[in-house]
């Protein structure tokens, strides 16, 4: 009987592992396909010739798509964990949702952390160096020469980063044991390096999110059709049409020798056509879209921003008054054991909405910053180098989103895998604090 029970337990464990692997693969396949179409929408159209540069661009495109899919998975994991917990609480004995368990959620978090490290430290540097490589002088040109140069550059970059982190650790903490621990790459060095990048991502999120919250109203105002109050769109369209015809006649009347005036008139004509397109879109919009959708979206943005600020303020007050409110890492309730909100499913849905709103606001704020303004992708006119930069930036923001959401008090620690991410930040913060106090 004991042998049969042991075989049955091993079979059950095997089937569970196969089921979790299949679910993870299907979820990632969907994210990869969506990411591929998003990147193809913005990637600059190149020649379809099967030359060396085309193969390099195709490989870099696949690696960038993989990174963007990992970023999307990192963003969706926290809402997926929250909604899975509420479903298990609502239907604890349902046979058809038994696959939605803590082991699956824990495995997804581990895979997200593993793939984030892989993309950040291996795939994206490889894609960038591979795209810029030409092969060493004296060697035969080709894909192999470019791969060799890329691998050499990756090794040199790894040695440089290893030396920088080792020196920084020696300056901050002069304990011999802490410096010797850096030789353990897998257990200490890589988690320490990833936690440093998570810290930079959190600082970037703290910088981008307030800017994004203020810019969301402007962006939505540009995307939606505003109500026409005391406006005559027909008259404005008529005036714009006359102005467009006048500019077109002036442009046709100028000789080709006056190059500066022609370029200035073409730019002005393009602006007039853009304004005319916006006015025609406002005219064609229905009364529901003009008078209902725009006010409803603006009110919804105002409510979400107010709730986010209120939750952050309450969490800050709790941290100031009660030190037990600090993140405890792995001390979470676990999947399917307790609800994450006092309002049940409604509160969990509100948390999910706030998480997505926070991520969208941070992305909008990131592209609104003057330093990162050139990173904005353009449809059918974005180079692969800029696509790689965008994928790395989104990966850093998405990796830091769960940590910042927990730190600001928007979510509660759910699983031990998420607790590992929470525990990474205090280590780096403690190291930085000890360096400042010294």
């Amino acid at each position: 009987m004991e042998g049969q029970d042991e075989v049955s337990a091993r079979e059950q464990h095997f089937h569970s592992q196969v089921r979790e692997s299949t679910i993870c693969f299907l979820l990632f396949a969907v994210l990869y396909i969506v990411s591929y179409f998003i990147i193809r929408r913005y990637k600059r159209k190149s020649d379809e010739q099967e030359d060396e540069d085309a193969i390099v661009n195709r490989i870099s495109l696949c690696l960038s798509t993989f990174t963007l899919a990992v970023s999307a998975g990192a963003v969706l994991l926290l809402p997926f964990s929250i909604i899975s917990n509420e479903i298990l609480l609502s239907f604890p004995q349902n046979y058809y949702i038994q696959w939605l368990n803590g082991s699956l959620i824990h495995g997804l978090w581990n895979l997200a952390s593993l793939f984030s490290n892989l993309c950040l430290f291996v795939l994206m540097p490889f894609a960038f160096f591979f795209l810029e490589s030409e092969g060493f002088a004296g060697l035969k040109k080709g894909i192999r020469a470019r791969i060799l140069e890329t691998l050499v550059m990756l090794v040199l970059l790894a040695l440089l980063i290893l030396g920088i982190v080792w020196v920084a650790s020696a300056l901050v903490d002069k304990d011999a044991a802490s410096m010797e621990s850096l030789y353990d790459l897998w257990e200490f060095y890589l988690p320490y390096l990833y936690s440093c990048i998570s810290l930079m991502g959190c600082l970037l999120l703290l910088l981008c999110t307030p800017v994004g919250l203020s810019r969301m109203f402007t962006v939505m105002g540009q995307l939606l059709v505003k109500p026409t109050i005391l406006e005559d769109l027909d008259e404005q369209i008529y005036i714009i049409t006359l102005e467009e015809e006048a500019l077109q006649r002036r442009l046709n009347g100028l000789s080709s020798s006056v190059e500066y005036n022609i370029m200035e008139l073409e730019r002005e004509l393009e602006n007039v056509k853009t304004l005319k397109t916006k006015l025609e879109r406002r005219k064609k919009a229905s009364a529901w879209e003009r008078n209902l959708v725009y006010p409803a979206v603006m009110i919804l943005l105002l409510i979400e921003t107010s709730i986010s600020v209120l939750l952050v303020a309450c969490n800050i007050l709790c941290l100031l008054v009660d030190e037990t409110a600090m993140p405890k890492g792995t001390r979470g309730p676990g999947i399917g054991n307790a609800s994450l909100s006092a309002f049940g499913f409604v509160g969990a849905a509100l948390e999910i909405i706030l998480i997505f709103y926070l991520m969208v606001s941070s992305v909008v704020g990131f592209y609104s910053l003057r330093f990162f303004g050139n990173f904005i992708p353009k449809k059918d006119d974005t180079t692969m180098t800029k696509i790689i930069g965008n994928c790395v930036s989104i990966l850093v923001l998405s990796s830091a989103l769960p940590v910042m959401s927990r730190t600001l008090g928007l979510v509660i620690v759910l699983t031990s895998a998420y607790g590992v991410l929470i525990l990474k930040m205090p280590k780096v913060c403690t190291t930085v604090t000890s360096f400042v106090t010294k």
Side-chain angles (χ1 to χ4, degrees):
M1 293 296 293
E2 293 181 359
Q4 293 179 357
D5 294 339
E6 184 180 354
V7 172
S8 177
R10 284 189 298 175
E11 290 180 353
Q12 186 176 2
H13 177 72
F14 173 76
H15 292 306
S16 176
Q17 292 295 322
V18 171
R19 180 176 64 247
E20 292 177 7
S21 301
T22 304
I23 294 172
C24 294
F25 175 77
L26 292 177
L27 292 176
F28 185 79
V30 173
L31 293 178
Y32 187 90
I33 293 173
V34 174
S35 301
Y36 176 78
F37 283 109
I38 292 175
I39 293 181
R40 289 289 297 180
R41 176 182 176 85
Y42 292 100
K43 181 180 178 296
R44 176 178 293 176
K45 303 301 181 182
S46 58
D47 297 332
E48 298 298 332
Q49 300 177 358
E50 291 296 332
D51 56 355
E52 182 180 324
D53 291 335
I55 297 175
V56 172
N57 285 329
R58 192 175 297 114
I59 295 175
S60 300
L61 175 64
C62 294
L63 297 180
S64 301
T65 305
F66 184 86
T67 303
L68 186 61
V70 173
S71 304
V75 174
L76 294 175
L77 264 181
L78 192 55
F80 181 75
S81 303
I82 295 174
I83 196 171
S84 300
N85 180 72
E86 298 301 325
I87 291 176
L88 290 175
L89 284 175
S90 302
F91 308 99
Q93 303 298 330
N94 196 324
Y95 174 77
Y96 296 101
I97 61 172
Q98 293 301 313
W99 57 272
L100 198 63
N101 49 29
S103 177
L104 174 64
I105 304 299
H106 187 86
L108 288 174
W109 279 103
N110 289 333
L111 287 177
S113 178
L114 175 62
F115 287 157
S116 297
N117 283 278
L118 180 65
C119 294
L120 200 57
F121 299 119
V122 179
L123 297 185
M124 285 295 93
F126 179 85
F128 177 76
F129 289 128
F130 190 48
L131 194 66
E132 299 294 330
S133 64
E134 296 180 356
F136 291 111
L139 295 179
K140 183 180 179 180
K141 301 297 181 180
I143 297 295
R144 292 184 178 181
R146 300 181 71 163
I147 292 177
L148 178 61
E149 181 183 355
T150 303
L151 294 178
V152 172
M153 292 298 297
L154 285 178
V155 172
L156 294 177
L157 179 63
L159 293 176
L160 177 64
I161 295 177
L162 177 62
I164 292 175
V165 175
W166 201 90
V167 172
S169 177
L171 292 175
V172 174
D173 193 356
K174 298 181 180 180
D175 188 9
S178 63
M179 289 190 292
E180 289 179 359
S181 62
L182 280 175
Y183 292 109
D184 193 352
L185 297 179
W186 186 259
E187 295 294 334
F188 183 85
Y189 177 73
L190 288 180
Y192 183 82
L193 185 60
Y194 184 69
S195 61
C196 292
I197 295 178
S198 297
L199 176 62
M200 291 189 293
C202 284
L203 296 178
L204 184 61
L205 274 179
L206 291 175
L207 178 64
C208 297
T209 304
V211 179
L213 291 176
S214 60
R215 283 280 300 170
M216 283 294 292
F217 295 92
T218 304
V219 172
M220 296 306 297
Q222 295 174 353
L223 296 177
L224 299 177
V225 179
K226 298 181 180 179
T228 55
I229 301 176
L230 301 178
E231 285 185 293
D232 190 354
L233 294 179
D234 293 330
E235 182 179 356
Q236 294 183 16
I237 292 175
Y238 179 72
I239 295 174
I240 289 295
T241 304
L242 292 178
E243 186 176 355
E244 180 184 2
E245 294 176 355
L247 290 173
Q248 191 66 47
R249 284 196 296 268
R250 289 179 58 188
L251 189 61
N252 295 332
L254 290 176
S255 61
S256 59
S257 60
V258 191
E259 184 178 354
Y260 177 76
N261 291 334
I262 291 178
M263 293 178 59
E264 186 178 357
L265 286 176
E266 287 180 350
R267 192 182 305 110
E268 188 175 354
L269 181 61
E270 188 68 25
N271 295 332
V272 170
K273 289 182 179 180
T274 303
L275 182 59
K276 181 181 178 181
T277 303
K278 292 181 180 179
L279 290 175
E280 290 177 348
R281 179 172 176 265
R282 291 182 62 186
K283 183 180 178 181
K284 294 179 181 179
S286 61
W288 290 96
E289 185 179 358
R290 289 197 305 266
N291 303 323
L292 183 61
V293 176
Y294 182 83
V297 171
M298 289 300 169
I299 293 174
L300 183 61
L301 289 178
L302 182 60
I303 293 174
E304 290 179 350
T305 304
S306 303
I307 292 176
S308 301
V309 174
L310 182 62
L311 288 177
V312 172
C314 293
N315 185 61
I316 292 175
L317 291 177
C318 291
L319 293 177
L320 292 175
V321 175
D322 186 9
E323 63 180 14
T324 60
M326 290 292 292
K328 302 302 180 183
T330 57
R331 299 181 184 178
I335 294 290
N337 294 330
S339 179
L340 299 178
S341 175
F343 300 100
F345 193 82
V346 177
L350 179 61
E351 288 183 356
I352 293 174
I353 293 174
L354 290 179
I355 290 170
F356 282 119
Y357 181 62
L358 187 68
M359 185 60 193
V360 174
S361 301
S362 63
V363 173
V364 172
F366 175 78
Y367 289 117
S368 299
L369 296 177
R370 183 175 300 178
F371 183 76
F372 300 105
N374 296 328
F375 271 60
I376 300 177
K378 298 179 181 179
K379 182 180 178 181
D380 297 333
D381 192 27
T382 307
T383 61
M384 275 305 305
T385 304
K386 189 175 290 187
I387 288 176
I388 292 173
N390 279 275
C391 291
V392 172
S393 303
I394 295 176
L395 177 62
V396 172
L397 292 176
S398 61
S399 300
L401 179 65
V403 180
M404 198 186 76
S405 300
R406 175 65 185 101
T407 305
L408 295 180
L410 298 179
V411 296
I412 299 175
V413 175
L414 192 63
T415 64
S416 58
Y418 179 56
V420 171
L421 294 178
I422 299 299
L423 286 175
K424 287 179 180 178
M425 296 304 301
K427 293 180 180 178
V428 182
C429 295
T430 303
T431 305
V432 174
T433 305
S434 62
F435 175 73
V436 173
T437 54
K438 288 181 181 180

